[in-house]
């Protein structure tokens, strides 16, 4: 399969089989991330792998966050938590932040975003489902996440990725994309 075909077939998978992901496959995803482009080879990514008992604690934290954020929307809380409760592994990905160097810090965010996308493409090859969450259960904008992972203050959470074997019979339809022709200006 060509790279373009893999890109076109990439989907956000939120429903997983009740099956653990092998450590070797998780390591392959992490390795794929480290080949992402990054300014001055700063390699600004950090990965926090969440499984087992830590996943239970993550679920409790995410539920508390969602209950506070959406107290009058129990169905939204429940549907948002589903990806957490069915996912065998999550990885929180952070970018190094460089004090007094906002441009370098922003470049690091771009690099980590590329790293996450590299993981997503590798997941497809490994037969794994993958979704990158930022808002809601991704807890990107909540201090509890930094405390949960024990991150130093000079790291910024870029996303939480949920990984597992896709649930059988739950195909995700392609989404309509705007043609590059409508988004491109030739100078």
């Amino acid at each position: 399969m060509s790279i373009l075909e893999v890109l076109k077939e990439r989907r956000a998978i939120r429903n997983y089989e009740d099956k653990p992901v092998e450590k070797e496959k998780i390591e392959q995803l992490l390795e794929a991330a480290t080949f992402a482009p990054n300014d001055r080879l700063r390699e600004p990514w950090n990965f926090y792998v969440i499984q087992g008992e830590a996943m239970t604690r993550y679920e409790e934290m995410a539920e508390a966050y969602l209950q506070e954020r959406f107290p009058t929307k129990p169905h939204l809380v429940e549907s948002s938590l589903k990806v957490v409760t069915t996912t065998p592994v999550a990885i929180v990905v952070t970018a190094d932040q460089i004090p007094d160097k906002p441009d370098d810090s922003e470049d690091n965010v771009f690099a980590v975003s590329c790293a996450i996308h590299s993981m997503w493409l590798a997941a497809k090859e490994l037969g794994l489902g993958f979704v990158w969450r930022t808002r809601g259960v991704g807890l990107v904008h909540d201090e509890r996440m930094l405390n949960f992972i024990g991150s130093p203050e000079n790291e910024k959470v870029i996303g939480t990725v949920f990984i597992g074997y896709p649930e059988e019979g739950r195909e995700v339809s392609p989404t309509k994309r705007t043609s590059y022709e409508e988004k491109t200006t030739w100078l």
Side-chain angles (χ1 to χ4, degrees), residues 3-11 29 32 114-128 130:
I3 294 291
L4 280 176
E5 290 171 325
V6 172
L7 286 166
K8 289 177 182 178
E9 289 185 14
R10 184 199 53 75
R11 301 284 181 272
L29 294 176
C114 289
I116 292 170
H117 194 251
S118 294
M119 293 170 74
W120 204 331
L121 297 179
K124 171 80 173 160
E125 182 176 313
L126 296 170
L128 297 170
F130 189 104

Side-chain angles (χ1 to χ4, degrees), residues 22-164:
E22 299 86 346
K23 184 177 182 185
E24 298 77 28
K25 288 190 176 184
I26 296 168
E27 290 171 340
Q28 286 177 291
L29 294 176
L30 296 168
E31 181 180 25
T34 66
F35 289 102
N38 60 100
D39 187 50
R40 298 185 194 135
L41 287 176
R42 280 193 295 264
E43 299 179 330
W45 35 73
N46 304 279
F47 308 99
Y48 299 86
V49 180
I50 304 170
Q51 294 177 287
E53 185 273 329
M55 198 63 169
T56 302
R57 290 186 292 117
Y58 181 90
E59 181 182 335
E60 292 166 359
M61 178 180 63
E63 183 173 13
Y65 170 79
L66 291 169
Q67 296 277 0
E68 290 169 19
R69 188 156 181 230
F70 305 109
T72 62
K73 298 180 180 178
H75 295 296
L76 177 61
V77 171
E78 183 180 330
S79 65
S80 295
L81 277 175
K82 185 173 183 208
V83 72
V84 180
T85 61
T86 63
T87 301
V89 61
I91 302 174
V92 178
V93 189
T94 67
D96 293 338
Q97 298 296 279
I98 304 167
D100 304 320
K101 292 192 174 184
D103 290 343
D104 289 352
S105 294
E106 187 175 25
D107 288 346
N108 287 351
V109 170
F110 302 149
V112 171
S113 297
C114 289
I116 292 170
H117 194 251
S118 294
M119 293 170 74
W120 204 331
L121 297 179
K124 171 80 173 160
E125 182 176 313
L126 296 170
L128 297 170
F130 189 104
V131 65
W132 173 5
R133 298 298 303 265
T134 53
R135 299 171 56 111
V137 295
L139 292 159
V140 168
H141 306 292
D142 194 276
E143 284 297 313
R144 284 176 276 209
M145 179 60 87
L146 291 172
N147 294 330
F148 179 77
I149 62 176
S151 167
E153 67 180 53
N154 65 336
E155 290 180 21
K156 177 180 182 175
V157 177
I158 305 306
T160 303
V161 299
F162 296 92
I163 304 159

